[in-house]
Each structure stands twice: as structure tokens, then as C-alpha cells.
């Protein structure tokens, strides 16, 4: 995804390789699908099938979207996670539901889940291969471990960083996390 258009800088693959999600300064998550319209094909004949088309804008974040993460297991469909500045700004989304909206489903732009208990802005986000376990890292050096099947339950707190946790990675099983 090219930079610009509202400051979207972070990207993740959601589901099949044809779906991308982006987030950034625009307070929204955008869903893009691979493929070119006729106009795109005329303007860039060598790029047919490689262009991205905006299919949905999800506006639930109160401020910047700081991180995106998606499961690597194909059985998870087009689910992905987003985190942002402010409290309780961690969401689970389904890109296929949001991208397929036809105006008849008001819940199409709603997140599948909102994770309660993120008390500070999240600057790190990672998930296991199936998106069953996720971690966030915040400005106070706290890492939170969440069970995605129970998003309303408070996360486990892992303390030990002296400053902002800006990066996290999780192994496919969800047992190991590196921050």
C-alpha cells in the first residue's frame, strides 16, 4: 500500500494474499483488495492484478492506528487485529465481512471484538498463528497477554520494560513472545 491518503503507513495481510489492511494517522483501518478496475488497467497496463482497490474504511479508533496484525493460519479466514492510541483501542476485525458489505448489514463495519483492559496507548501488537492469543505493549512498558476467545476478560500483565514497548512478536503456538 502506498503511503499517503490520510497518513496510512502500517499494513498487514488478512486472509488470502489478495486482501491488505492499513492503518495510521487517519484514525481508521482501511481494507484493500488486489485487482484493477478498467481505468487502472488503461493507466498502468503492466500492473493489472497488482493494483489495490479500497473496499472499506473502518472508523472505530479514537486516535492514530499504531499497529496491525493478522494470523498466519489460513483457517482463520480474513480476521485481523488493530491497536491504537488511547485506552481500550484493541480490536478484532473480519475483513471479509467488512469488505463484502452491501449497505444491508449495519454491523459490517463493527469489530468482531473490542478488548477491554488496555489502559494506555498500544505501540506493539502481535498474535499467534490462529489469532487465539495476542499481546500488546504500551507506553508504560507493560505487555498484556489476551485470550482472543474471551475479549472482555482482563489480560495477564507482564511487567519489566523500562520504557515504551514498540515491537512484539509471537511464535505460531502463542506460548512464546518476544518484546
Amino acid at each position: 500500500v502506498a503511503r499517503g491518503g490520510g497518513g496510512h503507513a502500517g499494513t498487514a495481510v488478512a486472509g488470502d494474499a489478495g486482501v491488505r489492511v492499513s492503518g495510521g494517522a487517519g484514525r481508521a483501518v482501511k481494507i484493500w483488495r488486489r485487482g484493477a478496475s478498467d481505468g487502472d488497467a488503461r493507466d498502468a497496463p503492466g500492473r493489472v492484478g497488482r493494483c489495490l482497490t479500497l473496499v472499506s474504511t473502518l472508523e472505530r479508533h479514537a486516535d492514530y492506528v499504531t499497529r496491525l496484525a493478522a494470523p498466519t493460519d489460513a483457517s482463520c479466514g480474513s480476521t485481523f487485529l488493530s491497536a491504537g492510541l488511547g485506552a481500550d483501542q484493541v480490536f478484532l476485525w473480519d475483513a471479509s465481512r467488512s469488505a463484502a458489505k452491501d449497505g444491508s448489514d449495519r454491523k459490517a463495519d463493527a469489530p468482531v471484538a473490542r478488548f477491554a483492559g488496555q489502559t494506555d496507548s498500544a505501540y506493539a501488537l502481535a498474535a499467534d498463528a490462529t489469532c487465539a492469543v495476542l499481546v500488546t505493549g504500551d507506553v508504560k512498558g507493560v505487555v498484556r497477554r489476551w485470550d482472543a476467545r474471551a475479549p472482555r476478560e482482563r489480560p495477564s500483565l507482564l511487567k519489566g520494560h523500562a520504557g515504551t514497548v514498540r515491537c512484539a512478536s509471537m511464535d505460531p503456538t502463542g506460548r512464546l513472545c518476544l518484546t
Side-chain angles (χ1 to χ4, degrees), residues 8-162:
H8 279 72
T11 64
V13 176
D16 64 45
V19 176
R20 301 282 189 277
V21 294
S22 66
R27 297 182 182 195
V29 174
K30 296 189 182 241
I31 300 175
W32 308 82
R33 186 165 302 283
R34 183 175 293 175
S37 69
D38 290 340
D40 294 334
R42 281 192 305 272
D43 296 338
R47 298 189 52 145
V48 175
R50 291 184 286 177
C51 297
L52 297 175
T53 302
L54 178 64
V55 294
S56 189
T57 300
L58 310 174
E59 298 176 324
R60 292 295 172 144
H61 282 275
D63 208 332
Y64 287 77
V65 177
T66 56
R67 290 287 182 255
L68 297 162
T72 56
D73 190 315
S75 68
C76 298
S78 295
T79 59
F80 68 94
L81 297 156
S82 66
L85 299 182
D88 293 328
Q89 294 295 300
V90 180
F91 300 96
L92 175 67
W93 304 91
D94 183 347
S96 63
R97 182 176 79 175
S98 299
K101 69 180 181 181
D102 60 3
S104 62
D105 183 5
R106 290 180 177 223
K107 294 183 180 180
D109 285 346
V112 174
R114 183 180 199 160
F115 294 87
Q118 181 69 43
T119 57
D120 294 293
S121 297
Y123 282 93
L125 175 67
D128 70 346
T130 62
C131 233
V133 177
L134 63 131
V135 294
T136 59
D138 69 23
V139 295
K140 293 185 178 173
V142 177
V143 175
R144 288 172 172 77
R145 183 184 183 278
W146 312 78
D147 180 345
R149 296 162 296 209
R152 293 180 187 216
E153 290 184 15
R154 294 292 177 194
S156 303
L157 301 181
L158 308 169
K159 297 180 181 179
H161 287 282

